[in-house]
């Protein structure tokens, strides 16, 4: 029962359905997920159903950010263990020009800042370049002696794996592009995913 609760809490099924490395995720589920590197801390998909947007409703990035802040406790649970909230629309001034990162957290286990930039649609290559600049600023201007390198998450509605691969080529490995879902899958979709996984395992 304890194992089942852990798997539900960590969205095991959704991660399993979305992943190409199903065997690796199942091994993680059996061992339990450790939080000691950014790679096993950041999820590939986050569920933001708590935002409460009706299906097919148009919304802006600011409305998405407002909904996350309104339900911050729930969002922290979705992010996982160790995240603490620092601020929203965090200002960075570079050569008298102001830039703003949507959400800033600090991960007390990894001992680093975690920057999140929200995108309403698909990620673009310039979004990744922008996040790289944010990480550079935080590493130089915000980190103190005991801090590790900051982590950046571009949280988008759609993700093109090939674009991400090429756009991050040679960049800091602490840049992640994750998808978000505004609704949990319907019963029919879950059944179809289960059948696909079963067929692939066979």
């Amino acid at each position: 029962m304890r194992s089942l609760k852990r798997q539900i809490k960590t969205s095991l099924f959704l991660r399993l359905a979305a992943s190409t490395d199903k065997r690796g995720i199942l091994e993680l589920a059996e061992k339990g997920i450790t939080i000691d590197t950014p790679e096993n801390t950041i999820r590939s998909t986050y569920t933001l159903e708590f935002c409460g947007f009706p299906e097919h409703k148009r919304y802006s990035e600011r409305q998405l950010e407002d909904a996350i802040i309104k339900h911050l406790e729930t969002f922290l649970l979705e992010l996982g263990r160790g995240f603490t909230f620092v601020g929203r629309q965090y200002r960075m001034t570079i050569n008298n020009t102001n830039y703003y990162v949507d959400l800033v957290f600090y991960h007390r286990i990894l001992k680093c800042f975690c920057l999140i930039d929200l995108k309403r649609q698909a990620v673009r290559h310039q979004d990744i370049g922008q996040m790289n600049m944010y990480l550079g600023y935080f590493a130089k201007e915000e980190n103190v002696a005991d801090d590790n390198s900051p982590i950046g998450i571009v949280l988008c509605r759609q993700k093109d794996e090939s674009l991400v691969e090429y756009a991050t080529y040679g960049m800091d490995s602490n840049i992640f592009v994750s998808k978000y879902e505004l609704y949990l899958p319907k019963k029919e979709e879950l059944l179809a995913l289960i059948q696909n996984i079963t067929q692939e395992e066979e």
Side-chain angles (χ1 to χ4, degrees), residues 80-168:
R81 285 184 53 214
F83 288 91
T84 57
F85 180 63
V86 174
R88 68 184 293 193
Q89 293 300 310
Y90 197 98
R91 186 176 69 185
M92 298 164 283
T93 304
I94 304 172
N95 290 335
N96 297 318
T97 300
N98 293 328
Y99 301 89
Y100 299 87
V101 61
D102 293 330
L103 301 168
V104 178
F105 297 84
Y106 190 85
H107 199 285
R108 58 185 180 80
I109 301 172
L110 298 178
K111 298 188 182 305
C112 67
F113 285 103
C114 178
L115 318 180
I116 298 180
D117 212 19
L118 302 170
K119 299 300 171 189
R120 189 175 61 85
Q121 295 294 342
V123 65
R124 303 167 301 167
H125 64 86
Q126 54 263 46
D127 299 327
I128 294 169
Q130 178 177 264
M131 179 56 76
N132 195 48
M133 181 187 74
Y134 292 168
L135 294 182
Y137 178 91
F138 265 75
K140 186 171 182 181
E141 305 295 340
E142 299 288 348
N143 273 15
V144 296
D146 294 335
D147 287 337
N148 292 313
S149 298
I151 300 169
I153 304 173
V154 181
L155 192 55
C156 57
R157 193 74 173 92
Q158 299 170 347
K159 175 182 175 182
D160 183 322
E161 296 288 352
S162 296
L163 183 145
V164 171
E165 178 184 354
Y166 295 137
T168 57

Side-chain angles (χ1 to χ4, degrees), residues 59-67 88-89 102 118:
Y59 60 92
S60 66
E61 288 172 6
R62 178 50 66 95
Q63 287 174 318
L64 179 61
E65 180 183 326
D66 287 343
R88 68 184 293 193
Q89 293 300 310
D102 293 330
L118 302 170

